[in-house]
């Protein structure tokens, strides 16, 4: 018996969350931002991200908003600056989301 036969269909709420996650990763700039934040030792400002990726400030800000809405990045205000970091908990769940969508049992995270 295949594992797909034992899997249950995902509910509407989970499907909405997963769709948001996949959409957040559907743009190469957002993938690059996530990679940069995942490799960073400290939270980064928009200006630091702009300098590292050679992408415009408004573009980076737009993508960071979408990534934050999907909960892939965290925002932290320090003084007048907003700093961004990877949300390890959410990103760690992403492979399980892909498994669930494909009807495979999710690995424990």
């Amino acid at each position: 018996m295949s594992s797909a036969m034992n899997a249950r269909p995902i509910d509407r709420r989970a499907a909405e969350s997963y769709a948001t996650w996949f959409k957040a990763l559907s743009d190469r700039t957002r993938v690059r931002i996530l990679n940069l934040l995942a490799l960073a030792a400290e939270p980064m400002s928009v200006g630091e991200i702009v300098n590292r990726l050679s992408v415009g400030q408004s573009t980076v800000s737009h993508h960071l908003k979408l990534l934050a809405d999907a909960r892939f990045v965290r925002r932290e205000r320090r003084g007048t600056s907003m700093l961004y970091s990877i949300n390890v908990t959410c990103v760690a769940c992403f492979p399980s989301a892909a498994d669930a969508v494909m009807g495979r049992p999710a690995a424990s995270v």
Side-chain angles (χ1 to χ4, degrees):
M1 186 178 260
S2 75
S3 62
M5 295 179 93
N6 294 326
R8 292 191 173 142
I10 57 176
D11 62 32
R12 181 182 201 98
R13 184 173 170 215
E16 288 173 9
S17 291
Y18 298 162
T20 300
W21 291 359
F22 289 117
K23 183 177 180 181
L25 294 176
S26 69
D27 182 272
R28 69 176 172 242
T29 301
R30 288 192 290 271
V31 171
R32 290 180 66 211
I33 291 169
L34 274 180
N35 177 251
L36 179 63
L37 293 173
L39 297 174
E42 296 288 327
M44 298 178 74
S45 68
V46 172
E48 291 170 319
I49 296 168
V50 166
N51 291 337
R52 294 283 297 278
L53 297 181
S54 299
V55 178
Q57 185 273 329
S58 62
T59 299
V60 169
S61 293
H62 169 74
H63 288 305
L64 283 168
K65 181 192 180 321
L66 294 175
L67 290 168
D69 289 349
R71 297 183 317 253
F72 282 149
V73 300
R74 296 179 186 267
R75 294 181 269 212
E76 173 188 349
R77 182 165 297 284
R78 285 196 196 155
T80 58
S81 295
M82 188 67 75
L83 299 179
Y84 295 85
S85 61
I86 197 87
N87 181 351
V88 177
T89 304
C90 185
V91 174
C93 293
F94 187 74
S96 295
D99 284 338
V101 169
M102 298 309 297
R104 294 188 292 261
S108 56
V109 179

